[in-house]
Amino acid sequence: MIRYDVADAVATITLDRPEAMNSLTAETKQALHDALRKAAHDRGVRAVLLTGSGRAFCAGQDLREHADNLEAGRGLANTVRAHYNPIVELISTMPKPVVAAVNGVAAGAGASLAFACDLRVASERAKFALAFAGIGLAPDSGASWTLQRLVGQGRAAELMLLGEPLDAARALELGLVTRVVPAEDVMKTATDLAVRLAQGPTLAYGATKRALAYAATHALADSLAMEADLQDQCVATQDHLNATRAFLAKEQPTFNAE
């Protein structure tokens, strides 16, 4: 259900249920959470690439499993709190860059997972659909938080209430994705981007993610104070010292996450 590979300090996590468009069962969600946690805690991993196999990135919740839970009177079976929320928190708060290679359909919680990543490379064949309202549900997996920060509150309301699919070109126009490439190039482009990030200042990237998340919900004065605290932490790192020396010597810096 989940493939986990590490090369060039990049952990590639692949949703691997192509016959079900990589839809998410309870078992798949637990495996995804475990893979993300492994990547987060592995000092040899400095960037993460999330993608899907086959023609979909992720079609969201496995509706067959969901229907069985409804018929048995289990409702959501606590999956939002037990699975989706921890997965999205891991992606969003991981002190390493996370890149999504959106190779195809990203619907419902699948779209939410892509939005939680720091950067998104989309295939020309990719489609995004906030399909929650279409089956009588509110958004989950952080979509209400991430989407409006990407496209604004008004556009987010339109996408969620109408649930109309967006093609890759429109997603790029709205700022939902970082870049759009031909389908055959999506993995190479996303991998190259992840490798570039893995060679960069990992500690500074982590501080940047914290600064952005904090500033999104705090006043300017508080955000300025947080920036100062994070700068104090970064300036004490060996990476900063080495990069400053390299700059003065007109050399390319090497970052070791130290």
Side-chain angles (χ1 to χ4, degrees), residues 24 29 60-61 79-80 82-89 109 140-141:
L24 300 165
K29 284 174 276 191
Q61 173 64 38
T79 193
V80 173
H83 298 125
Y84 286 121
N85 289 356
I87 287 170
V88 170
E89 285 188 17
D140 64 29
S141 305

Side-chain angles (χ1 to χ4, degrees), residues 7 12 27 30 48 58 67 80-81 86 88 92 95 112 143 152 155 158 164 178-179 201 213 215 224 248 256:
T12 300
E27 189 177 4
Q30 186 60 55
V48 176
C58 176
V80 173
R81 293 183 177 85
V88 170
S92 300
S112 300
R155 187 70 73 185
E158 175 187 344
E164 296 173 349
T178 309
R179 61 190 67 170
L224 289 170
L248 294 174
N256 297 306

Side-chain angles (χ1 to χ4, degrees), residues 81-160:
R81 293 183 177 85
H83 298 125
Y84 286 121
N85 289 356
I87 287 170
V88 170
E89 285 188 17
L90 258 177
I91 294 171
S92 300
T93 63
M94 188 184 304
K96 305 171 183 181
V98 183
V99 178
V102 185
N103 52 301
V105 173
S112 300
L113 293 181
F115 299 155
C117 295
D118 299 304
L119 300 173
R120 285 156 294 284
V121 177
S123 159
E124 290 177 336
R125 300 174 185 169
K127 289 187 183 298
F128 296 87
L130 277 298
F132 300 102
I135 55 171
L137 290 175
D140 64 29
S141 305
S144 64
W145 197 92
T146 56
L147 186 59
Q148 65 178 309
R149 284 164 173 79
L150 290 170
V151 302
Q153 185 176 357
R155 187 70 73 185
E158 175 187 344
L159 295 175
M160 288 181 172

Side-chain angles (χ1 to χ4, degrees), residues 1-16 31-32 34-36 38-40 42 44-53 57 94 96-103 186-195 198:
M1 294 175 296
I2 299 291
R3 296 203 312 268
Y4 185 93
D5 305 284
V6 178
D8 298 319
V10 174
T12 300
I13 299 173
T14 306
L15 299 168
D16 197 19
L32 175 58
D34 292 345
L36 288 165
K38 181 178 180 180
D42 186 346
V45 169
R46 294 173 57 186
V48 176
L49 177 61
L50 180 63
T51 192
S53 62
F57 175 75
M94 188 184 304
K96 305 171 183 181
V98 183
V99 178
V102 185
N103 52 301
V186 67
M187 277 305 296
K188 182 182 185 308
T189 302
T191 300
D192 288 348
L193 182 58
V195 170

Side-chain angles (χ1 to χ4, degrees), residues 62-85:
D62 185 303
L63 289 183
R64 293 185 182 276
E65 181 184 78
H66 179 61
D68 289 343
N69 286 330
L70 291 179
E71 295 297 337
R74 292 188 292 267
L76 291 171
N78 200 40
T79 193
V80 173
R81 293 183 177 85
H83 298 125
Y84 286 121
N85 289 356

